[in-house]
Amino acid sequence: MKPEKRKRRIVVAVILIVVIVGLSLLYMAGCPRFYSDEMHQRRISRKFQKEFVDTGIYTDFKVYPLYDIDDNIIRYLIETEPANHFYVRTQPNYFFVHESLYLMNSENGTDWFRYRSESDETYPSFGSDINWGKYNEAGDFYNEHTLYELENGAIKYRSESPFAAAGIDETEFRYMLFGGLMPAVKRNGVFVNLISMCEMSESELRSGNFNYPYLNDARIFAKSYYL
């Protein structure tokens, strides 16, 4: 083989290798599994700091991982000052086809309220100081056998996260069960639903036979914001 022809083949091979490696790196960079959980948390913090704290919308914030029943991280929680909260999930962004690797449920925060069934009174529960009562003007969420957390005779809507409202310690795992809609913590081997404030055993959760009040907006990411 002539030296010139061999040289051309080497050049073409090198170019192909560079292209393949470059495309592979672009692909991996858009894959959430390419980053560790700690890296995701730092990246989310950096983005939120730039867009919402440096611009003066919030004065401070913290980012927490949210776990499923098997202690796998399924999304992240951002708690802010003044009190507000956001949910963030990762999404594949291969070759930068989306605006970001991170999708936040809203740019305005998440309102929610506590509620439970009257039958929940028989379950062990937390939050004995909560004012539970019936509210006949609860619209789509009204049920004659449902109790709501009331304040001044109306449903108490909250802007702080269910974890912050329950005073969950920073060192505790924060869970999002029931398809990522039920905020919970684990105490003494059992879960506490932070919407109803009732205990749920792990066996009940895994069998699907449990009391399941969850975040009232079943489409948390219906209105999403690229972070």
Side-chain angles (χ1 to χ4, degrees):
M1 183 182 296
K2 294 181 179 181
E4 294 81 3
K5 191 172 183 179
R6 182 181 300 143
K7 185 177 180 180
R8 283 198 299 270
R9 287 189 175 183
I10 293 174
V11 170
V12 170
V14 170
I15 291 173
L16 286 174
I17 291 171
V18 170
V19 170
I20 291 171
V21 170
L23 290 175
S24 298
L25 290 174
L26 281 175
Y27 182 86
M28 288 189 294
C31 179
R33 287 178 295 180
F34 181 71
Y35 303 94
S36 68
D37 297 329
E38 293 76 13
M39 289 176 68
H40 279 306
Q41 197 160 333
R42 288 198 300 269
R43 285 166 59 87
I44 290 170
S45 296
R46 187 167 61 247
K47 287 174 175 288
F48 195 87
Q49 173 76 35
K50 180 179 179 180
E51 295 190 33
F52 293 91
V53 178
D54 292 347
T55 55
I57 299 175
Y58 296 103
T59 59
D60 199 8
F61 72 100
K62 291 182 179 178
V63 180
Y64 299 95
L66 296 175
Y67 298 86
D68 65 11
I69 194 171
D70 296 310
D71 292 344
N72 299 310
I73 296 176
I74 59 171
R75 64 181 58 152
Y76 295 85
L77 168 72
I78 300 176
E79 293 183 345
T80 69
E81 289 293 341
N84 207 344
H85 70 292
F86 303 85
Y87 298 102
V88 178
R89 71 182 185 194
T90 61
Q91 63 171 4
N93 191 19
Y94 305 131
F95 307 115
F96 306 104
V97 296
H98 301 298
E99 293 183 36
S100 174
L101 191 67
Y102 304 103
L103 196 64
M104 197 166 73
N105 67 309
S106 168
E107 58 180 318
N108 299 315
T110 310
D111 288 336
W112 63 284
F113 56 85
R114 289 178 175 141
Y115 69 101
R116 68 197 309 184
S117 169
E118 283 184 313
S119 63
D120 289 341
E121 295 298 322
T122 62
Y123 283 73
S125 62
F126 290 75
S128 59
D129 58 337
I130 297 173
N131 179 32
W132 296 103
K134 293 187 176 181
Y135 185 66
N136 294 345
E137 299 179 19
D140 294 339
F141 304 107
Y142 172 66
N143 183 297
E144 62 178 336
H145 300 296
T146 299
L147 301 176
Y148 304 88
E149 181 182 18
L150 302 180
E151 184 176 56
N152 299 322
I155 292 176
K156 183 174 183 176
Y157 283 85
R158 294 176 174 272
S159 58
E160 74 271 37
S161 79
F163 306 95
I168 302 307
D169 188 85
E170 288 192 7
T171 61
E172 292 187 83
F173 271 27
R174 288 157 167 75
Y175 291 88
M176 285 296 280
L177 309 175
F178 193 61
L181 295 171
M182 181 193 296
V185 293
K186 201 170 187 178
R187 297 281 177 85
N188 301 318
V190 297
F191 289 93
V192 179
N193 181 333
L194 296 181
I195 301 298
S196 68
M197 305 303 288
C198 293
E199 291 184 355
M200 307 169 295
S201 70
E202 184 172 330
S203 60
E204 286 177 316
L205 284 165
R206 291 190 182 279
S207 68
N209 181 27
F210 61 93
N211 182 267
Y212 60 89
Y214 48 84
L215 290 175
N216 59 296
D217 185 1
R219 298 177 301 155
I220 293 179
F221 288 94
K223 295 182 179 180
S224 302
Y225 175 83
Y226 287 107
L227 182 63

